[in-house]
Amino acid sequence: MSELRTHRGHRVEVLEGDAQGVIDRGKEIEDLGEQMIGAADVLREIGDGASEERGRSIEKIRDEVGDAHAELRKAGERYKPTGTVMKTYGSKLADVQAAMRTIVTDALDAKSTLDSKRHAAATAAQTASNAPDPDPTDPTALERQRRLDEAATDSQGAVDDAEADLDAQFALFDSQWDTWDEAYDTALRGITDATEGNVSDDWTDNLAGVVEVVLEVLTWVGVALAIAAIIIGGPFIAVIAAIVGVIALIGTLFLYAKGRKGLGDVAWAVVGVLPFGKLGKLFQSGKRLTAIKEFLGGPYLEIATPLRRITALRGLTDPASLRAGGNLGSRAASGLASRLGRDFSVFQGAGPKNILNRIIGGSSRGYSLSIAQNFANLSAHHQRVITPHLGALADVISGGAKPVALSEGIANSLEFGVKRGRMVLGRVNEISSWGDPQPVDTWRAQLA
């Protein structure tokens, strides 16, 4: 790739692009447009009954055709001029590329010559400058100095001529570049004119593009939350993950309605909002009804339950409530509230040591174990004081105090592998494929 640039900043190299490919593609589109128009005329004649064909098959075709010929003609009237525009652009691109091949070669030669002349001029100027002053009475010394000065002057003149030659090549190149730029703009205007009023996106199509970007971002957020659920867990991560899952499901359903997502995408989006760690309860006696209820509650319970636990925690840390119902002094109530705020915080049980527990028992298992243990560490009096204020945390404590059944742990582990594994591995595979060549619409790439 040449680093030589014109005075207008254009890189001196032949424009890329398969000119003949653009011409051929334009001819194909132009021919297709003519065929569409011809077929539309035939369909119109059949629909109007102007053709001489008779029979049940023709009558059936006539009934099915209706006004389809009008849409087919409209499509043909878009394709034909679009193909013509592309052929014209391809031809102009070929001419510009042919001219540029010669100009680029000449410009590189001119630059090489200029570099040589500049080096010679610098040497001549230095030789003349470093020569000792001639003796005014020595004709030979005076003549030698005159020749040195003349050589320096001639060398600088050669530099000026070489610069003029290179500038001339730059001007030729910029002229061809302008010709291509004008041809490109003309092609874009021609394609726009050919489709103006015929092809347009409604606001839902524009919104779909935005939703696709949002879903891509949410996918990466989901990966981060999946990792956070393993390492941190707890109600805070759970509620954020549930909200992200619901938004992703709504967006996926919208894109499915627009034909931009398939049923497989919708199915995985539904799986994404199903409560993690609840599947195993279906395999444990006495918990099946609870599991069904939680599955039916779906994302609502996944959001509401952590929020209720966070709200209950706020009530536990209110010294006034503890003092009123527990016969505690002001200092004792404040001390207990401070301890509860620390021991019952939403980040209890976070860290690597509870990763296995969160996989086997659900993302909040580590939190439940820690809360249950911290509750058990309270004195009997303090347990009686805070029990009326536990609210949604009561289930957390009772659940954390019970072991996870083997069948439930196996089911939850499999569920984790399917849901989280697919999400994370999908992103890893996407990252690994970033360097792979992506399929493109060839003629659009060539036109650009």
Side-chain angles (χ1 to χ4, degrees):
M1 179 180 292
S2 172
E3 295 299 326
L4 186 62
R5 293 181 180 272
T6 70
H7 298 306
R8 288 169 53 187
H10 299 143
R11 192 187 298 275
V12 181
E13 60 184 10
V14 179
L15 289 172
E16 295 182 357
D18 183 2
Q20 188 58 49
V22 175
I23 294 172
D24 293 342
R25 181 62 171 162
K27 188 176 186 308
E28 291 174 1
I29 294 175
E30 186 180 55
D31 292 344
L32 180 59
E34 292 179 348
Q35 293 169 8
M36 287 179 174
I37 294 173
D41 291 338
V42 173
L43 290 176
R44 179 181 54 78
E45 292 178 358
I46 293 175
D48 294 343
S51 62
E52 297 179 357
E53 290 80 0
R54 295 290 185 270
R56 293 183 178 179
S57 297
I58 294 298
E59 292 299 327
K60 181 64 175 177
I61 293 175
R62 183 175 292 128
D63 293 338
E64 294 292 336
V65 166
D67 294 331
H69 63 85
E71 294 300 322
L72 185 58
R73 171 174 282 277
K74 183 183 294 185
E77 290 173 349
R78 299 171 189 168
Y79 273 63
K80 184 178 179 180
T82 298
T84 303
V85 167
M86 289 181 62
K87 286 169 55 182
T88 303
Y89 170 76
S91 178
K92 185 64 68 174
L93 176 61
D95 294 340
V96 170
Q97 287 176 329
M100 281 186 170
R101 290 186 185 96
T102 300
I103 295 172
V104 169
T105 299
D106 293 343
L108 293 175
D109 290 344
K111 179 61 168 62
S112 178
T113 300
L114 175 59
D115 292 339
S116 177
K117 297 296 184 183
R118 283 175 173 170
H119 178 72
T123 301
Q126 186 176 13
T127 300
S129 176
N130 292 339
D133 295 335
D135 184 352
T137 62
D138 185 354
T140 302
L142 291 174
E143 177 62 19
R144 183 172 57 253
Q145 184 62 45
R146 185 190 66 77
R147 289 179 179 178
L148 290 176
D149 292 340
E150 183 178 355
T153 301
D154 291 344
S155 296
Q156 184 57 48
V159 169
D160 295 339
D161 292 341
E163 288 179 343
D165 290 341
L166 182 58
D167 289 343
Q169 296 303 321
F170 283 164
L172 291 174
F173 185 89
D174 286 336
S175 176
Q176 290 298 323
W177 195 95
D178 290 340
T179 300
W180 166 80
D181 188 49
E182 183 179 354
Y184 178 73
D185 289 340
T186 300
L188 289 183
R189 286 194 300 269
I191 293 174
T192 301
D193 292 342
T195 58
E196 187 175 6
N198 295 324
V199 180
S200 60
D201 293 338
D202 61 20
W203 67 272
T204 59
D205 293 314
N206 296 329
L207 179 60
V210 176
V211 172
E212 285 181 329
V213 175
V214 172
L215 284 184
E216 178 66 18
V217 173
L218 289 181
T219 301
W220 287 101
V221 173
V223 172
L225 289 173
I227 297 173
I230 299 173
I231 300 176
I232 301 174
F236 183 73
I237 300 297
V239 70
I240 296 177
I243 292 173
V244 169
V246 169
I247 297 175
L249 174 59
I250 294 173
T252 303
L253 289 172
F254 173 74
L255 292 180
Y256 173 74
K258 298 298 295 181
R260 300 193 183 191
K261 291 287 185 181
L263 285 175
D265 299 308
V266 174
W268 280 111
V270 171
V271 170
V273 299
L274 291 179
F276 171 58
K278 308 300 189 296
L279 181 62
K281 293 180 181 179
L282 292 174
F283 299 90
Q284 186 177 359
S285 177
K287 291 187 176 182
R288 293 189 179 92
L289 185 60
T290 301
I292 293 174
K293 176 183 177 182
E294 290 174 343
F295 265 100
L296 293 177
Y300 168 74
L301 289 181
E302 282 291 275
I303 296 174
T305 301
L307 287 178
R308 284 198 294 266
R309 291 171 180 173
I310 294 173
T311 301
L313 176 61
R314 294 178 59 185
L316 284 179
T317 57
D318 181 11
S321 298
L322 297 176
R323 187 170 64 252
N327 294 322
L328 297 176
S330 176
R331 179 175 297 180
S334 297
L336 179 58
S338 176
R339 177 181 178 180
L340 295 176
R342 180 185 68 252
D343 292 348
F344 283 33
S345 76
V346 293
F347 296 108
Q348 279 297 318
K353 67 178 182 179
N354 275 314
I355 287 180
L356 184 59
N357 287 323
R358 280 187 281 273
I359 294 176
I360 295 175
S363 59
S364 294
R365 178 62 180 171
Y367 175 73
S368 299
L369 287 172
S370 295
I371 295 298
Q373 183 62 48
N374 290 338
F375 181 80
N377 291 336
L378 294 172
S379 67
H381 175 62
H382 283 168
Q383 289 183 5
R384 288 193 298 271
V385 169
I386 70 170
T387 295
H389 305 284
L390 287 176
L393 292 175
D395 292 338
V396 176
I397 294 173
S398 62
K402 300 175 183 177
V404 177
L406 178 61
S407 58
E408 182 179 355
I410 294 174
N412 287 338
S413 298
L414 292 174
E415 179 190 0
F416 171 85
V418 173
K419 291 178 65 174
R420 304 307 185 191
R422 179 186 183 275
M423 178 186 296
V424 176
L425 289 178
R427 294 294 94 181
V428 171
N429 292 335
E430 181 176 327
I431 293 174
S432 64
S433 66
W434 280 353
D436 297 340
Q438 301 296 318
V440 296
D441 188 335
T442 304
W443 76 264
R444 289 180 66 88
Q446 292 168 345
L447 182 60

